Amino acid sequence: LEQLVVAMEVIYRQPTTIQTKKLTELCQYVSQISGIPIPVNKPLVGANVFVEETAGHAIEQFECPTEGRSICPEDIGGTLGVVYGKMTNERVIELTARRAGRNISQDLIPKLLETLSILSEKQKGQCIYEKDFWTVVDSLENILYEEE
């Protein structure tokens, strides 16, 4: 349904009466009641569809979120995101912290980059999302402050 609706409205410029901002929510509801999970790479509504890891692409998510997209995730109830790992760099960390309104000590960044790289290797096939990123940051900050 979601692919047909978006094709009609975006490609063919034919309006539908469907509230496109609710498409992701509708798909999640159908998944919940049917017990069939949405594949993470499912077009338009999968958890990883609007997510980037490569530093350059991740930075673009923060600085130019609509660049190179035929559809904005918000138009279908989705959100842009970043996954963290070996490709994460200092700029991605800085932009993540700024967006969250948090501060990450410059002393912590090298250890954070190392930890993200190690975690991504250990968790092959599993993404480190922003919630997990902040869990790692908080853990490292606790260790750093205990050592002082």
Side-chain angles (χ1 to χ4, degrees):
L1 172 69
E2 68 279 359
Q3 293 175 50
L4 177 63
V5 170
V6 170
M8 292 298 293
E9 294 207 2
V10 174
I11 297 171
Y12 298 109
R13 308 247 187 259
Q14 295 294 314
T16 65
T17 58
I18 296 173
Q19 296 177 28
T20 58
K21 291 185 188 290
K22 301 256 183 188
L23 283 173
T24 300
E25 183 182 338
L26 173 64
C27 291
Q28 290 168 343
Y29 176 72
V30 170
S31 173
Q32 181 184 0
I33 62 171
S34 70
I36 300 170
I38 300 171
V40 295
N41 61 344
K42 181 168 177 48
L44 303 174
V45 296
N48 291 349
V49 173
F50 297 108
V51 172
E52 298 287 353
E53 178 184 4
T54 305
H57 291 207
I59 291 167
E60 189 177 89
Q61 294 277 51
F62 290 109
E63 295 178 343
C64 312
T66 58
E67 186 96 9
R69 299 193 185 282
S70 58
I71 183 167
C72 293
E74 294 81 12
D75 292 345
I76 56 167
T79 57
L80 291 174
V82 174
V83 292
Y84 303 86
K86 293 186 293 185
M87 307 302 264
T88 302
N89 65 17
E90 289 184 32
R91 180 79 174 131
V92 173
I93 291 171
E94 174 189 315
L95 291 168
T96 300
R98 185 182 307 154
R99 183 175 68 184
R102 291 186 59 177
N103 190 23
I104 297 176
S105 164
Q106 288 298 314
D107 297 340
L108 189 67
I109 291 177
K111 185 65 177 169
L112 177 57
L113 289 169
E114 177 187 351
T115 303
L116 292 171
S117 181
I118 291 168
L119 276 174
S120 69
E121 277 296 313
K122 284 184 181 178
Q123 299 180 355
K124 284 267 188 234
Q126 292 182 326
C127 295
I128 302 170
Y129 294 104
E130 190 166 344
K131 181 181 126 228
D132 308 313
F133 169 83
W134 288 114
T135 300
V136 171
V137 170
D138 293 340
S139 295
L140 290 174
E141 283 178 338
N142 288 338
I143 291 168
L144 182 68
Y145 293 129
E146 286 175 5
E147 290 175 356
E148 292 180 349

